[in-house]
Amino acid sequence: VTLTAGVALAQTSGSGDGGSHHHPAHAGGGGDAAELVAAQNRIVGTVAVLCAACTSGFSGVYFERILKGSPRVTLWVRNIQMGLPSIVIAFLSIYIKDGAAVASKGFFQGYNPIVWTVVSVQAAGGLIVEVVVKY
């Protein structure tokens, strides 16, 4: 909640420079359009943060409900069951958006050490969450 409130406050507070940065093409009274675009960007950012916070909360509650609702299924099996839909959606979006590039250059094209680091950190984070939930 504190993180969401802080980001929302930062998004709605503006840059604090009084709107002195106008695009050169808008010199001579065109600052209203630039301010409108900045306001719209803040609104989009705030809505995105609120949606992310809500979906994160809902997924946590749903995960707890699933875990407590069926004690005969192991946590590993439950994680696989919940992860399969996201794998299907991910592969469909890869096929639709980048199917030709993946077919010609391979799935791991463009992966560099930073990407592998992020993947490893996310995987380790998932395993840590599993251990915390189990114990």
Side-chain angles (χ1 to χ4, degrees):
V1 173
T2 305
L3 175 64
T4 302
V7 173
L9 182 64
Q11 285 289 328
T12 58
S13 69
S15 62
D17 61 359
S20 62
H21 294 290
H22 296 295
H23 193 274
H26 297 294
D32 291 338
E35 290 173 7
L36 178 63
V37 169
Q40 290 173 344
N41 287 341
R42 284 192 285 271
I43 291 170
V44 169
T46 303
V47 169
V49 166
L50 292 175
C51 288
C54 289
T55 56
S56 175
F58 289 141
S59 67
V61 169
Y62 180 71
F63 183 66
E64 284 292 325
R65 180 174 175 250
I66 291 297
L67 284 178
K68 293 177 180 176
S70 59
R72 63 185 176 273
V73 178
T74 67
L75 187 60
W76 285 96
V77 171
R78 186 61 65 194
N79 282 338
I80 291 170
Q81 289 173 341
M82 291 193 316
L84 282 177
S86 64
I87 292 171
V88 171
I89 292 169
F91 277 118
L92 282 174
S93 34
I94 289 170
Y95 177 74
I96 291 169
K97 184 177 178 189
D98 296 322
V102 170
S104 65
K105 298 178 184 173
F107 181 78
F108 296 108
Q109 64 172 336
Y111 277 43
N112 58 29
I114 293 174
V115 173
W116 284 111
T117 302
V118 169
V119 169
S120 300
V121 166
Q122 291 295 319
L127 293 173
I128 290 170
V129 166
E130 188 269 333
V131 168
V132 168
V133 168
K134 185 171 183 175
Y135 300 110

